[in-house]
Amino acid sequence: MTAVQQDIDERTHLTSTNKFELLLFRLGTDNVLGKSELFGINVFKIREIVAMPGITPIVGTAAHALGVVNLRGQVIPVFDLPAIVGCKPQTGLNIMLVTEYARTTQAFAVESVEDIVRLDWKQVLSAQTSGAAGKLVTSIARLDGNTDESRLAQVLDVEAILQMVSPSDDHQVTAEKVGAKLALKPGAIILAADDSFVARSLIEQELKVLQAPYEMLKSGLEAWERLNAIAQSAKAEGKTVLDRVAMVLTDLEMPEMDGFTLTRNIKQDARFDGLPVVIHSSLSGSANEDHVRSVGANGYVAKFAAEDLAATIRRVLPRPGNP
């Protein structure tokens, strides 16, 4: 087995235990307190880390676009991440993080890379739940566990950053793209979970165009707790979960409980037998897709293509009147 394959296998194995690896880096001092804070991105998003190469500026680009770089035969846009989040590097833009995200490849310039840490998703709190809500930060990671002395890292919302610096018309949701109204069982909803503000907004747009009743949650744990509450309520009324929930749509990366764990919990619980689960994630690649199948998900859609998401939802939804 090659070292690369072994590395992929080890990181994929982490998802079976609700764990992941976070790349920690610094962007310089912030504009408020003048401190240098830690930021993080899931290692699964990182293709490679390289010393800052020569960049070719492109005329007429967005304010935070530094230009493009020719890396291993591919021309990749490079963005000034400190400028985007409001930091000032003290030693310059020294490192380039090349990321694969939502079907695209791009690079972010940072000041320094600190470490890769292995965390349990329980160590990661929703930015909104913790009172640190911001459109560019999805969550706060407690690097040393639940202690007062724990170092904190801000986990960046790459979806929101890319949408801000490079808006895409492909993300527009129209009836022409997604098709006719969904036929759900009367009284049933789609239960959706995603920690990204941008992703939730796009999903909500699509479900509204499809005229599908839904409930949107911000983490896998919220979705799991809500699903259990619905099951209890349905049982008290002599009904099943399938009378109340048509399907679950979940992201993979979420604080407290990831989408893999949520899916596994649903598929291993007899109360939710027959409940379809679709994973909707910016994490692509064969390793993730293989693991999606291993936890029993009914479908996998890479973010964000409105047509693909609508087609997958239609495929997995039970027909009204059928199990």
Side-chain angles (χ1 to χ4, degrees), residues 108-123:
F108 294 101
V110 304
E111 181 175 45
S112 64
V113 169
E114 295 287 303
D115 199 3
I116 292 177
V117 293
R118 186 167 292 185
L119 302 177
D120 191 302
W121 276 109
K122 293 179 182 178
Q123 293 175 245

Side-chain angles (χ1 to χ4, degrees), residues 30 53-54 58 124 152 162 180 221 231 248 251 261 263 291 302 318:
D30 65 73
I58 301 297
V124 184
L152 301 179
L162 289 177
L221 183 60
V248 174
D251 186 23
T261 304
T263 302
H291 197 54

Side-chain angles (χ1 to χ4, degrees), residues 1-321:
M1 178 182 294
T2 67
V4 172
Q5 184 59 50
Q6 183 176 356
D7 190 50
I8 291 172
D9 290 345
E10 287 178 356
R11 286 185 176 138
T12 301
H13 176 70
L14 288 177
T15 61
S16 66
T17 54
N18 201 39
K19 294 182 180 181
F20 73 115
E21 288 183 330
L22 190 69
L23 175 71
L24 300 176
F25 53 90
R26 294 188 187 272
L27 301 176
T29 56
D30 65 73
N31 295 330
V32 180
L33 299 177
K35 295 175 61 179
S36 177
E37 301 293 347
L38 282 170
F39 294 86
I41 293 178
N42 192 327
V43 170
F44 255 130
K45 293 191 179 82
I46 305 296
R47 195 179 84 182
E48 58 183 312
I49 302 169
V50 298
M52 185 60 65
I55 296 175
T56 301
I58 301 297
V59 297
T61 54
H64 301 304
L66 295 173
V68 297
V69 61
N70 183 30
L71 187 66
R72 311 194 197 293
Q74 184 178 8
V75 175
I76 300 170
V78 184
F79 299 101
D80 185 341
L81 194 53
I84 291 169
V85 304
C87 290
K88 185 177 181 180
Q90 299 303 295
T91 63
L93 298 174
N94 305 309
I95 303 293
M96 189 174 75
L97 308 180
V98 182
T99 65
E100 292 183 331
Y101 199 88
R103 308 177 186 222
T104 64
T105 300
Q106 55 282 312
F108 294 101
V110 304
E111 181 175 45
S112 64
V113 169
E114 295 287 303
D115 199 3
I116 292 177
V117 293
R118 186 167 292 185
L119 302 177
D120 191 302
W121 276 109
K122 293 179 182 178
Q123 293 175 245
V124 184
L125 300 180
S126 165
Q128 294 193 3
T129 302
S130 61
K135 290 186 177 181
L136 299 184
V137 175
T138 61
S139 49
I140 306 296
R142 297 173 293 187
L143 303 178
D144 307 305
N146 188 17
T147 66
D148 292 343
E149 294 78 24
S150 177
R151 296 168 297 155
L152 301 179
Q154 302 174 61
V155 182
L156 292 177
D157 186 344
V158 182
E159 287 170 88
I161 290 172
L162 289 177
Q163 184 65 13
M164 181 179 79
V165 300
S166 183
S168 173
D169 292 336
D170 293 340
H171 289 172
Q172 293 181 353
V173 181
T174 63
E176 289 76 19
K177 283 187 176 183
V178 302
K181 174 182 176 181
L182 284 179
L184 300 187
K185 188 174 185 177
I189 65 169
I190 291 177
L191 195 67
D194 202 299
D195 67 334
S196 167
F197 169 82
V198 169
R200 290 197 302 273
S201 176
L202 291 170
I203 292 168
E204 288 183 338
Q205 287 180 43
E206 178 146 348
L207 294 179
K208 286 176 181 177
V209 172
L210 291 170
Q211 301 179 56
Y214 67 90
E215 187 171 335
M216 182 64 69
L217 302 165
K218 300 180 184 69
S219 76
L221 183 60
E222 281 189 16
W224 178 242
E225 291 177 343
R226 180 61 180 137
L227 197 56
N228 277 276
I230 292 173
Q232 186 175 358
S233 174
K235 183 178 180 181
E237 297 177 7
K239 297 182 178 181
T240 70
V241 171
L242 296 181
D243 293 316
R244 297 289 192 83
V245 181
M247 65 166 285
V248 174
L249 178 65
T250 178
D251 186 23
L252 285 183
E253 297 179 280
M254 292 183 292
E256 300 178 288
M257 179 186 291
D258 66 16
F260 287 127
T261 304
L262 173 62
T263 302
R264 190 183 305 107
N265 286 352
I266 292 171
K267 294 302 181 179
Q268 293 178 352
D269 194 317
R271 295 173 301 165
F272 308 127
D273 186 38
L275 179 63
V277 178
V278 169
I279 290 178
H280 183 227
S281 175
S282 57
L283 294 179
S284 57
S286 59
N288 279 308
E289 294 181 21
D290 288 345
H291 197 54
V292 163
R293 287 188 286 271
S294 74
V295 296
N298 300 84
Y300 173 88
V301 185
K303 292 179 181 175
F304 179 81
E307 302 96 324
D308 292 351
L309 180 57
T312 302
I313 291 175
R314 292 182 196 280
R315 178 176 63 80
V316 306
L317 275 177
R319 304 280 184 182

